[in-house]
Structures are given as structure tokens and as C-alpha cells.
Amino acid sequence: MSGSRSRATLLLFILVVIAATLHASPILTTITLESPVMGDTYRILLALPSDYDHLDPEGYPLVVLLDAEWHFDPALSLAPRNAGVVDVVEGLVAEGAMPPIILARVGYVTSAEIGENRGRDFHARHGDFLIFLRDELLPVLEGTYNTDPDKRILLGHSSAGWFTTFEFLRYPYGVFDRYVALSTNFEYDAPDPLLYAMEQVLYERLAADLVCSATLYTGVGELEEERFTGPHATFTGRLEGRGYRDFPFAHEIRSGEDHGSVVLPGFEAGLRW
């Protein structure tokens, strides 16, 4: 009887440990990073896998999330209904749809800075912001954490989606290799949209073999304004008409979603795909 009770106790202990492992929360940590290029200070909040291993020889894919005051974690977000990318990632990892990753959100020191600074970063000084990501942020993250430099993913919505698309169109000189851009107003700078001009340059750059190996997922909500849905159709139609080979590209209009509600399902679809 004593032996049976001991075995039962041991089995219960093992089950508890397994359950705790399966439901373990990600490790959250914060970095404050001064940027000489932007003349500003950024608050970088990271979510590491619960079983993060600094010595893992393969390293972890790095996902950089822009506009993270809205999209990182409901407990930390200014717009909780749009937040929860941490939960999305946890769910995808748990079902085996993606490997464990390091999620880095790029934000500001105070919420009062968001409105003005995101316009500066994603539009007015997008070139400088790209330099900040490439020369200041990524070296710090990859020098501190065990990342795989060949697996970098950039996520952006709305104005950040515009910046994400801008970075994709720099191929093959981009900093990232995979891009998820939602609710992008491709024509915000009409009558001569920069993204359309860059798309034309990309086509001319790749005309010799039409090979594009960067991965792009772009989506928009069915209920969004015409300034988002119309240009989405125009831009994706242009890309599809180029005849690129080996180009992992997907786009969709998400049924029943608006500019806010498209965020989480759109990011989940982009990361899953």
C-alpha cells in the first residue's frame, strides 16, 4: 500500500511539473535604449520563451513589434482590445505552428510621446528610424540575447505597416527577412506615393531573374475605410502581376474586421503563415 501511495504521489508530482511547464509564462524584461540617430530614448519590452536557453546553438527567431503600446500585452496596452500579441505567440508556439521566439516591442518612455513620435518614426524620418533599428537596436538585442540573425521578423499595423512595407521594398538590402504589414495606407503621401515608386524600383532591380525570397504577408479589414482597402488592392495587385519566382507572398481582406479589430487575427495569420 505504501509503495502504491508513493508511486501515485510521484505521478502526481510529475503531472504538476508538466502542467506548470506547459502553462509557464514568458519571461518579461525591459531595456531603455538611447538613440543618437533619433535623438530620443526608446523603451524596449521583451518577452523571452519561458524555457529560454542562452546556450541553445540554434538561437531564437527575433520578432520586432512596432506600435507596441497598443499591441504587446493587454495588461500594458493603451488599447487592450488590440493588444495580446504575447498571447498570440504563446498560442502559436503551443500548437507547434511556430518555434519559440524572442518578441521585442519598440515603444516610448511615456505614452504622451506616442502620437507625435510614431509619425516622426514611421513617416517623416523613416530612413533614420531604419538606421536606429539596424545599427542601434538589433546589435544590442543580438549581443545580449541568443537570437538567430538569419530569422528576423518585423510586424507593423497602420503607419507602422507603412514602415514595414517600406523596409520590405528595400529587398535584397533589408534588415529583416520576413514582414507582416496590416492596414497600410499605401497612398498616404499621394499624389506620388513613395511605396509605389519603391515597388517599381524593386521590380526593375529584380528584372533579371524575378527572384524575391523575402516573405511578406499583408492584410486589411473588410470594414476599414477606402483609404486602406483601395490601396491594399492596388498594391497587392501590382506585386502579383510582376511574376516573381520563389516569393512567399500572401494577402487577404479579413471579413468582418475594422481598423482596430484586424490587429490580433491579422498578426496571428501573418505569423502562422
Side-chain angles (χ1 to χ4, degrees):
M1 188 72 174
S2 174
S4 297
R5 185 178 296 113
S6 297
R7 286 193 295 273
T9 301
L10 177 60
L11 177 60
L12 178 61
F13 173 76
I14 292 173
L15 291 175
V16 169
V17 170
I18 292 174
T21 301
L22 290 175
H23 297 285
S25 298
I27 302 168
L28 301 181
T29 186
T30 302
I31 295 175
T32 300
L33 183 61
E34 293 186 9
S35 169
V37 170
M38 298 304 299
D40 205 346
T41 301
Y42 292 86
R43 184 170 177 259
I44 314 300
L45 185 59
L46 295 106
L48 309 180
S50 58
D51 58 351
Y52 171 74
D53 181 1
H54 191 70
L55 299 179
D56 187 325
E58 294 186 2
Y60 297 88
L62 175 63
V63 176
V64 175
L65 173 67
L66 305 177
D67 264 348
E69 280 79 8
W70 283 281
H71 310 319
F72 189 80
D73 188 313
L76 305 168
S77 175
L78 297 180
R81 82 159 181 162
N82 297 343
V85 176
V86 172
D87 294 333
V88 167
V89 168
E90 283 190 89
L92 291 173
V93 171
E95 68 177 74
M98 67 183 300
I101 63 148
I102 294 175
L103 176 63
R105 72 94 158 164
V106 182
Y108 306 104
V109 175
T110 68
S111 59
E113 302 173 348
I114 295 173
E116 179 179 347
N117 286 357
R118 66 190 301 271
R120 174 199 67 190
D121 292 352
F122 304 146
H123 290 308
R125 294 181 57 193
H126 55 268
D128 289 336
F129 187 69
L130 175 61
I131 294 172
F132 159 70
L133 294 180
R134 183 191 67 198
D135 296 347
E136 297 177 348
L137 177 62
L138 290 177
V140 169
L141 296 180
E142 295 178 345
T144 305
Y145 300 99
N146 183 17
T147 67
D148 182 345
D150 294 324
K151 295 179 180 178
R152 297 171 175 168
I153 306 170
L154 183 63
L155 273 61
H157 168 259
S158 196
S159 291
W162 187 97
F163 177 85
T164 299
T165 307
F166 158 78
E167 160 61 5
F168 157 74
L169 289 170
R170 296 178 60 252
Y171 178 86
Y173 310 112
V175 178
F176 298 83
D177 61 279
R178 188 172 172 185
Y179 304 87
V180 179
L182 303 177
S183 304
T184 302
N185 184 353
F186 296 94
E187 300 177 4
Y188 101 96
D189 51 348
D192 299 307
L194 175 62
L195 296 186
Y196 289 176
M198 291 183 67
E199 189 278 328
Q200 177 64 36
V201 171
L202 174 68
Y203 176 65
E204 294 170 0
R205 185 186 303 139
L206 303 181
D209 57 16
L210 291 178
V211 173
C212 180
S213 59
T215 298
L216 174 66
Y217 171 93
T218 182
V220 67
E222 175 191 27
L223 304 180
E224 296 198 51
E225 299 172 54
E226 166 62 24
R227 64 192 177 105
F228 296 105
T229 57
H232 171 87
T234 300
F235 182 80
T236 56
R238 289 174 62 142
L239 280 182
E240 284 190 323
R242 296 304 193 185
Y244 291 123
R245 296 185 294 112
D246 301 322
F247 178 28
F249 171 50
H251 62 90
E252 62 180 329
I253 299 175
R254 298 196 60 88
S255 177
E257 305 289 1
D258 60 27
H259 193 68
S261 68
V262 75
V263 173
L264 288 187
F267 281 150
E268 179 177 358
L271 289 171
R272 182 187 297 277
W273 180 78

